[in-house]
């Protein structure tokens, strides 16, 4: 496969991205964070392109359920990566790896741009 989609299967945004790729007949490998985990090295690579703040999903339920002390402890890349490794649902989803670049989230317009449609 020339690209990998990272995420959690029951996430609505991940479902939309998978459906879009399937409709457009774009083959991809799927990496399930819950089953396959995530490495600090991979998170660092994505953070290097987008910044750890963009990669950390602060709008999701998992983040909202954290207590204030835990939230304030996430104050740099190292602490964010540690939390995202322990709680993969804190990673903004989906992450599409395509031609050496990582793309965060999904919108139809974003994917049309990525694939030149």
């Amino acid at each position: 496969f020339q690209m990998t989609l990272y995420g959690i299967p029951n996430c609505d945004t991940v479902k939309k991205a998978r459906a879009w790729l399937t409709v457009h007949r774009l083959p991809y490998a799927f990496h399930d964070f819950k089953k396959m985990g995530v490495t600090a090295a991979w998170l660092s690579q994505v953070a290097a392109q987008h910044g750890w703040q963009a990669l950390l999903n602060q709008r999701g339920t998992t983040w909202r359920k954290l207590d204030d002390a835990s939230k304030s402890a996430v104050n740099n890349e190292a602490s964010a990566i540690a939390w995202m490794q322990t709680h993969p649902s804190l990673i903004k989803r989906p992450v599409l790896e395509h031609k050496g670049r990582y793309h965060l989230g999904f919108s139809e317009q974003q994917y049309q741009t990525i694939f030149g449609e």
Side-chain angles (χ1 to χ4, degrees):
F1 294 105
Q2 59 197 64
M3 67 182 137
T4 304
L5 188 72
Y6 296 84
I8 296 168
N10 61 356
C11 169
D12 288 339
T13 314
V14 171
K15 287 178 186 172
K16 289 176 193 167
R18 293 180 84 176
W20 193 94
L21 292 169
T22 301
V23 165
H24 291 82
R25 293 189 170 88
L26 295 164
Y28 65 94
F30 182 68
H31 181 102
D32 182 340
F33 287 141
K34 298 275 189 190
K35 286 186 181 152
M36 301 159 104
V38 61
T39 65
W42 183 84
L43 288 164
S44 294
Q45 285 180 322
V46 182
Q49 284 186 18
H50 294 281
W52 65 267
Q53 296 92 337
L55 185 57
L56 182 67
N57 177 10
Q58 293 182 311
R59 291 170 54 201
T61 318
T62 306
W63 178 260
R64 289 197 301 265
K65 284 182 181 172
L66 293 178
D67 58 57
D68 290 339
S70 298
K71 289 178 185 173
S72 60
V74 181
N75 56 12
N76 60 29
E77 185 172 323
S79 59
I81 284 174
W83 274 95
M84 288 185 276
Q85 265 196 286
T86 313
H87 304 284
S89 46
L90 286 173
I91 302 167
K92 177 146 177 76
R93 306 177 296 273
V95 177
L96 177 69
E97 184 179 354
H98 178 63
K99 295 184 177 173
R101 301 270 317 142
Y102 295 102
H103 305 275
L104 301 181
F106 168 78
S107 77
E108 209 158 309
Q109 186 177 15
Q110 174 195 18
Y111 275 37
Q112 286 167 351
T113 303
I114 293 167
F115 296 105
E117 294 192 4

